[in-house]
Every structure is written in C-alpha cells, then in structure tokens.
Amino acid sequence: MAGALIQPAEVLLSKRVQEMVINGEEPPAPYICREGDSTEEDDGSVESPIPIVDLSLLSLSAPCGDDNEDELHKLKSALCSWGCFQAIGHGIPSSFLDEIRQVAKEFFGQPMEEKKKYAKTVTEFEGYGADPVPEEGQPLDWSDRLFLDVYPEDKQKLKFWPEKPDSFRDILKEYTEKMKMVTKLTSKAMAKSLNLEENCFLDQFGEQGPLQARFNYYSRCQRPDLVLGLKPHSDGSGYTIILQDEVGLQILKDDKWHTVPQNPHAILVLMADQMEIMTNGIFKSPVHRVLSNSEKERVSLAVFYTPEAGKEIGPVDDLVNVERPRVFKNVKDYADLHWGYYQRGTRALHTVQV
C-alpha cells in the first residue's frame, strides 16, 4: 500500500473488490479507515447481549397472556436501548432462509462477466457494483453489492434482476412477500409495545411503502485491521431487516462495538432514522458497521422498509407530551436527505430536530 499510486475513487469503484482479491491486490489507500480506531469491541467470547424477540408471541393469532405482555416489554426495551433485536418466530421457514443465502452465494460466485450483465455505473444506485462515489476523503467499503427495488412491483427494474442462478428471481419474489408479512407484523407489534393504535406506524409508511433489497458480498481482506466491509453509519429507512450467514456485523452501544451473533433461524430487525423520528426519539437508530475478514467471505441480505415517496412522517401525537416534548419536525423523503449526509460520513438526524 505504501508508496503506491493512489487511484481516484471513481476508478476504484469501477472495479469490483472481488476482482482485486482474485488478482491478489492489497487494499488501496482509499479503503483504509481503521487507523487510530480505538473504540472498544467485544471479542465474541461471551454470550451476545443483543436481545432476541419471539414475534410469534406478538402476532394477531397469538393468545393474549403473560407471555405476550412479557414479549412486548422485551421488544420495547430492546428498541429503546439497542435499536435492534434478533427476531425468531417470524414465520419464515429456516429452510427458505437457507435458500435465499444459497442463491446469494451462487450469484456472487459466478464469473465476473455474468455478474457484470447487471452492472451499474459509479453514479447510479440500483444494480450490481458499489455504492456511488462518496465525497472526497471518505473511505470506500471492502464489499460488492446488488441493490434492487423489489416493492411495489411497478418500481422493479428487471434488467438488474439476475437470470442466473435460475431460481434467483422466483426466490427473491417469494422473499419479498415474506418481508411484507414481517414488516406488517413488526410495525403493529412496535406500536402495541408503546400502547399506541396498532396501525399508527403502518399508516405513516403507507400501503405502498417501498422495500429495497441489498445483497452484500464481503470478500476476504488481507488487512482487516485497517479495512472495513461497510463503514459506520445509521440507516435512512424506516427500519431494516438483515439476514446474514457469518458474523461480521457490529452494533455500537455505549461506545462499544457488539458483534451480532450468527443465528441461522433469526433475522435482525434494525431501527433506522425514520423510526426514531416517528417514535419521538424513544426507539434508537443505532450506528453499525461490518468488519472485514482475512479468512472467509461473507454474504448478507438487507431489506430496507421506507415510507412512500412524498409522504410526510413525524412523531406520533400520543408520544408528544409535557414530559416528552417534540424532538423532531415532520419531514418528507428523509431517505434522500440522509443519503447526502451519509456520503459525507455524517448523520442527518440533527437536521430534523426541533
């Protein structure tokens, strides 16, 4: 790395990290972002404190009782303190979660010329490649991704949807239907945990609240001590549902990074900035990152659930009172605002505070 000609980000992002690894290249300077990083992190040797919530106890069909109330309390506590939880009892068979992981691995395992059929430019967002070029001086992520609009259907750009593996499109469509089910269940459960009308969050998202799928491929990295798979950030969606195959994702809490453990039966539900706004700051949108690894690759699938374009969102009225004054203004299209700040390596939440 030392003494090498530093290529512009535009040039580096036109190449795939996976290609660089295959060619035996060390991470170029723009990927270096952990020098001087002294934030404490867990070593994975103790049981993870990240909460686990059983969504089956919170579904409409679940009988009311102490178990239901305990799980609602656990959900509220998790989102107030961590801003995330590992969801079990979500209604998606483990065998199908394995299928979606497998089809992701098969896509990224194909020859580069096959994947490049779905390539985006360095300025576009949807498609196969890397995120658009960040502002000068911001580090690059040691990862490749396939980003797709999956709902509503009229937003799908099928030119970016892989035809290989043969099952990719059908499996993604089925997963999208299951995500619609999970977001409906989760949104109602979150409302009930705060003693709110169960549809109050769903009404803010709207009936056509978009779902976007981001398949991530984290290649091996020779310098995991210096390079991150994904730099620290919070999400600009309402919330995000993450399926992972190996450990690597970390959540920042109380100035310490906590590793999200591998649980093949669980999906991680992660609050994003717009849920923090809707709950008047009660639920937290946590900063998170992805480590790189020198020994193994990692795939994950993040599905972002966001309010409809142009729809105004804001703190639920019942969460604003004398004891808890309004923290945030109403806002439209916050995700676009968030993206501009993300590209500068900063958060956007302060811009919509009262």
Side-chain angles (χ1 to χ4, degrees):
M1 286 174 279
L5 178 66
I6 299 177
Q7 296 178 308
E10 292 87 346
V11 174
L12 290 171
L13 292 177
S14 68
K15 300 194 287 186
R16 300 281 54 79
V17 169
Q18 197 174 4
E19 282 184 294
M20 288 192 269
V21 172
I22 291 171
N23 294 335
E25 300 175 36
E26 285 196 6
Y31 290 91
I32 306 303
C33 63
R34 297 193 69 183
E35 289 181 314
D37 177 11
S38 59
T39 308
E40 185 183 0
E41 58 181 284
D42 64 31
D43 59 8
S45 62
V46 296
E47 185 175 350
S48 171
I50 294 175
I52 298 174
V53 175
D54 187 345
L55 291 180
S56 70
L57 296 175
L58 305 178
S59 68
L60 292 176
S61 59
C64 292
D66 291 343
D67 288 346
N68 181 284
E69 290 302 317
D70 288 348
E71 214 65 17
L72 278 175
H73 177 75
K74 189 189 297 185
L75 174 67
K76 178 182 176 181
S77 176
L79 298 181
C80 290
S81 57
W82 285 91
C84 66
F85 63 93
Q86 290 263 58
I88 59 173
H90 41 65
I92 306 175
S94 295
S95 59
F96 185 70
L97 296 180
D98 289 339
E99 282 188 63
I100 195 83
R101 291 186 188 99
Q102 183 59 33
V103 83
K105 290 176 183 176
E106 288 178 11
F107 170 75
F108 288 112
Q110 295 178 112
M112 196 58 64
E113 57 267 24
E114 178 64 33
K115 295 194 287 284
K116 285 185 175 179
K117 291 178 182 178
Y118 312 101
K120 55 179 280 306
T121 67
V122 294
T123 58
E124 290 177 312
F125 207 89
E126 192 167 1
Y128 170 66
D131 282 344
V133 179
E135 290 203 7
E136 188 173 354
Q138 289 303 306
L140 306 183
D141 298 321
W142 193 253
S143 56
D144 302 310
R145 90 309 189 262
L146 174 67
F147 193 98
L148 302 170
D149 290 323
V150 295
Y151 180 80
E153 285 190 22
D154 61 4
K155 298 295 185 184
Q156 296 175 359
K157 299 182 184 70
L158 293 181
K159 68 177 183 178
F160 291 123
W161 285 52
E163 294 181 348
K164 292 182 180 179
D166 295 339
S167 59
F168 187 98
R169 292 187 174 191
D170 286 342
I171 288 177
L172 181 54
K173 286 178 181 178
E174 185 176 350
Y175 192 69
T176 300
E177 289 302 310
K178 294 184 184 303
M179 287 295 98
K180 288 162 64 178
M181 173 193 72
V182 170
T183 54
K184 186 174 183 179
L185 169 58
T186 302
S187 298
K188 288 186 174 186
M190 291 192 297
K192 287 191 284 188
S193 79
L194 294 170
N195 296 313
L196 300 172
E197 195 281 318
E198 67 173 16
N199 290 315
C200 68
F201 295 135
L202 287 172
D203 290 343
Q204 293 213 50
F205 280 97
E207 291 186 7
Q208 300 287 302
L211 293 172
Q212 297 168 308
R214 178 182 173 124
F215 292 85
N216 300 296
Y217 183 81
Y218 300 98
S219 295
R220 291 189 306 277
C221 179
Q222 296 180 29
R223 296 302 306 270
D225 56 319
L226 297 176
V227 175
L228 287 170
L230 197 58
K231 58 182 168 284
H233 67 285
S234 65
D235 288 348
S237 56
Y239 56 93
T240 308
I241 299 173
I242 301 172
L243 177 68
Q244 57 176 1
D245 69 335
E246 299 285 350
V247 295
L249 177 63
Q250 291 188 321
I251 308 294
L252 184 64
K253 182 178 184 292
D254 300 330
D255 297 320
K256 181 178 180 179
W257 289 107
H258 297 268
T259 299
V260 178
Q262 182 184 19
N263 183 336
H265 311 296
I267 51 179
L268 182 77
V269 180
L270 181 81
M271 295 298 97
D273 287 2
Q274 296 195 58
M275 277 305 302
E276 184 161 337
I277 293 169
M278 290 185 214
T279 61
N280 200 34
I282 295 174
F283 290 170
K284 306 305 179 188
S285 170
V287 171
H288 50 287
R289 70 180 185 182
V290 176
L291 300 180
S292 58
N293 191 303
S294 61
E295 297 178 357
K296 60 176 74 172
E297 303 87 3
R298 176 179 179 269
V299 296
S300 69
L301 170 56
V303 173
F304 303 97
Y305 180 41
T306 307
E308 293 174 357
K311 200 169 194 312
E312 187 174 78
I313 65 119
V316 175
D317 288 342
D318 287 346
L319 298 178
V320 179
N321 50 50
V322 175
E323 290 78 25
R324 190 174 191 89
R326 174 181 280 263
V327 178
F328 297 105
K329 309 169 191 173
N330 286 7
V331 63
K332 293 180 181 178
D333 300 321
Y334 174 85
D336 296 337
L337 174 69
H338 168 274
W339 179 251
Y341 279 83
Y342 175 83
Q343 289 292 75
R344 295 174 229 159
T346 60
R347 299 189 68 172
L349 262 180
H350 69 279
T351 67
V352 295
Q353 289 179 336
V354 172

